[in-house]
Amino acid sequence: MKNIRKKVLLSVMLTLMTVTSQAQNIPVYLDPNQPIEARVKDALSKMTLEEKVALCTAQSKFSSHGVPRLGIPELWMSDGSHGVREEISWDSWTPAGWTNDACTGFPALSCLAATWNPKMAALYGKSIGEEFRYRHKDIMLGPGINIYRTPLNGRNYEYMGEDPYLTSQLVVQYIQNVQNNGVAVCVKHYLLNNQETWRDSVDVQISDRALHEIYLPAWKAAVEKGHAWSIMGSYNKIRGEHGCESQLTLNKILKTDWGFDGAVVSDWGGAHSTMASALGGLDIEMGTWTNGMDKGKTFAYDDYYLGRNYLKALKEGSIPMSNINDKASRILRLIFRTAMNTNRSYGSFGSQEHLNAAREIADEGIVLLKNDNKKRLLPIEAKRYKNILVIGENAIKQLTSGGGAAGLKVSKEISPLSALQTKYGEAIHYTMGYASGPTTYGHVAPSPYSADSLRDEAVKEAQKADLIIYIGGLNKNFRQDCESGDRESLNLPFKQDQLIEALSKVNKNIILTLLSGNAMAMPWKEKIPAIIQGWYLGSEAGNSLVDILSGDVNPSGKLPFTFPVKLADVGAHSFDAESYPGVNYKEIYKEDIFVGYRWNDSKNITALFPFGYGLSYTTFKYGKATFAKNTLTQNGEFKISIPITNTGKIKGKEVVQLYIGEENPSVPRPRKELKGFNKIELAPGETTNITFKITPDMLSFYDDAQQTWRNEPGKFKAYIGSSSTDIKSTIELTFK
Ligand code: GLC
């Protein structure tokens, strides 16, 4: 009875509201109770052609036009995937100099990927979305999900690794939880922006199978499962078309095949012609050259490709009106979902809750690569040491700033050195050991220090220390982990290899921590008893690192990309220059579908540290996998279960991974591919049973002859392991 009364009350209220709004003559587009599509249609019917065209262009560095006459607001955007970038000036890259825009620095997305935990992606999206909302930004220019094809790519730190399934599982949670705040994501850079060398002109040639099996799946998930409200077109070309003007990737795949109903935003300056961008799927052209008034008169915003010339082409009829109506509808939909969404919260900014989230994600992403059993340097037992020497510029260098668009002005960044001093007090001493130059963009600035004297000083001090904590790696300088340029070597920069070799000669107790967004060669690996991959960890960096070093947190991160022994072991670098970085701006992805561990498996190459690898301070035992029946039919499903036990003395988290491979495929296929994973926490001695459900789509491949995904009957293997090479149990199954 109570329910019926509630329903009657609700419908009376809704009717009253509708009547009221109509009685008050609120136009449909302004009425938040109206369905979005009705509001879009109504707004479109009230707009002039000039107003529709204006929606498609920037009005400032990070905003696009609204419709002032109708009270439809502008769209405000900001970088980036790791935090809300500081306010930028109206018409230059210069910071606006605000004093209220220092944000929470979240760990880089490569660290999020290393958590292998969709719950962390959800927490990340919620927290960062609240900060964008509080800063009145309607669109977050991120997350980045380009596949890790080469360890030289300067922007790998902004992305989620080499495997499309891992990226898909994480990006969907990230997107949904950002957009729950009424803030749109703008997933980038669509498509095939897998390097920074010649990023605005390289023309990628790629097979249909590599396109559909490796480079598109995460985007498909972002659109079909994440329901991303905007996508950023990339600078590079794909088969001759620019990423912001592509019949294939924008009009066909994104908007037609996947039914994307949001807006495509260009990367800054990514449009190249009126006809190509208008007809090639671009909706909002962002750029960077003018405020349309003073110095920018030569190329004012309405001189943009989707500005005056586009309006002219529409008026002349060389572009149909349906084209602008589609663009304007998409942009209005984006506005109603964000700037005119009256249901959205007010967000929050720089809160302890967000700092705690950043720390939790970082804690889960740090990867323990080596912990020599004899020495067991980790976790650090403070009472064993009187003199702990910290060496390395990354122990003190700010790593939330720099790196290009993802660089942040943060409210705080706890350095590893300060956190170690807080934890271990007087025992901690420091010497820099090596130095990079200042954090620059677009060019390398030399270091003011002498590498030899820094090294000599460190070696001298190391001889007196009980324990050395080395904190090095890469940084956000140009030609390191930085936009608009790639690395020039797989080796550590700034003569760190020489330094590490020298230190290992005078002291065997070295814990080596690498902070980076990329893999690095480790020629000294056998001489170092403990190695940690530490990522860019954000505002709580030092605290997270000490959480792991001290054992307050048991490491549970797993590598989201392969660490190769040498560059020649990488697929992209196993051919000629056409494969990377390209010749005369033409690049061919010759390794095709064999990216990362797929390449290693195909060539039997042993990685330095493999995809999915990461140690714990406890140990896990995998039992034998069991299954009900080992045949799978087209509409069937197949379940595998496996018991996992924590055989150590402390609680820990483990990522149980499922890979599947076809035994004798009719086309070349990877030996195995990640098709499932489950991160679990077990108390000492606790056992749990993990079950994976296998469905036919997990066995399928993209048939380029038929231009569709399909299965073929045959024998498959399901591999369950704690990394892509540490397989604990294998099951044969037949697909009929
Ligand atoms: C840059 C980057 C892109 C960023 C945009 C705005 O060129 O490629 O990731 O969001 O411009 O800063």
Side-chain angles (χ1 to χ4, degrees), residues 63-140:
S63 69
S64 58
H65 294 95
V67 189
R69 177 178 67 84
L70 295 177
I72 293 176
E74 308 147 347
L75 278 173
W76 281 91
M77 318 171 186
S78 175
D79 289 307
S81 313
H82 308 153
V84 195
R85 188 174 183 178
E86 65 183 310
E87 198 65 21
I88 301 292
S89 301
W90 182 265
D91 179 45
S92 79
W93 290 109
T94 320
W98 288 13
T99 54
N100 64 344
D101 59 352
C103 70
T104 301
F106 294 92
L109 291 189
S110 46
C111 177
L112 172 62
T115 68
W116 285 63
N117 190 343
K119 293 190 184 81
M120 289 297 107
L123 173 65
Y124 199 128
K126 173 184 180 295
S127 309
I128 197 172
E130 288 168 349
E131 299 234 341
F132 271 82
R133 176 69 192 102
Y134 187 84
R135 286 266 287 108
H136 302 290
K137 302 302 178 185
D138 305 306
I139 303 175
M140 164 207 280

Side-chain angles (χ1 to χ4, degrees), residues 488-597:
E488 290 165 326
S489 158
L490 185 64
N491 282 78
L492 283 175
F494 320 124
K495 298 189 175 177
Q496 289 181 74
D497 285 338
Q498 297 88 326
L499 170 60
I500 293 165
E501 292 286 354
L503 291 171
S504 67
K505 287 193 174 71
V506 299
N507 196 316
K508 297 299 174 209
N509 290 345
I510 299 178
I511 297 169
L512 187 133
T513 301
L514 297 170
L515 305 182
S516 76
N518 252 316
M520 294 136 299
M522 302 183 195
W524 29 260
K525 178 188 154 198
E526 297 315 316
K527 300 169 188 160
I528 305 296
I531 303 173
I532 284 177
Q533 170 59 25
W535 314 115
Y536 297 118
L537 299 167
S539 284
E540 291 289 320
N543 288 336
S544 287
L545 213 43
V546 169
D547 285 345
I548 299 294
L549 291 169
S550 65
D552 289 349
V553 172
N554 186 355
S556 64
K558 300 277 186 178
L559 294 179
F561 47 76
T562 305
F563 274 50
V565 171
K566 56 188 186 302
L567 206 52
D569 289 351
V570 177
H573 298 269
S574 302
F575 301 88
D576 52 16
E578 253 189 344
S579 172
Y580 176 87
V583 173
N584 300 327
Y585 306 118
K586 183 177 167 211
E587 186 172 37
I588 303 171
Y589 282 15
K590 294 184 177 179
E591 78 283 2
D592 200 61
I593 57 175
F594 298 98
V595 175
Y597 66 91

Side-chain angles (χ1 to χ4, degrees), residues 62 79 85 93 141-142 155 158 188-189 193 196 199 232 235 267-268 405 441 483:
F62 283 97
D79 289 307
R85 188 174 183 178
W93 290 109
L141 300 172
R155 296 187 83 171
E158 295 184 57
K188 67 188 186 182
H189 306 82
N193 182 185
E196 290 299 290
R199 66 172 176 166
M232 184 186 292
Y235 283 131
D267 200 339
W268 269 233
Y441 183 77
E483 179 182 338

Side-chain angles (χ1 to χ4, degrees), residues 410-430:
V410 293
S411 55
K412 81 178 201 181
E413 179 176 354
I414 303 293
S415 73
L417 179 61
S418 62
L420 285 162
Q421 286 164 333
T422 305
K423 186 77 177 177
Y424 298 112
E426 301 293 307
I428 295 292
H429 303 280
Y430 176 71

Side-chain angles (χ1 to χ4, degrees), residues 252-296:
K252 182 185 183 310
I253 296 174
L254 181 69
K255 293 184 174 179
T256 306
D257 296 351
W258 297 344
F260 174 65
D261 69 357
V264 174
V265 181
S266 77
D267 200 339
W268 269 233
H272 292 265
S273 90
T274 294
M275 296 309 277
S277 49
L279 301 175
L282 182 62
D283 297 307
I284 301 179
E285 180 185 2
M286 294 308 290
T288 181
W289 295 288
T290 172
N291 56 10
M293 295 180 290
D294 43 27
K295 65 174 170 29

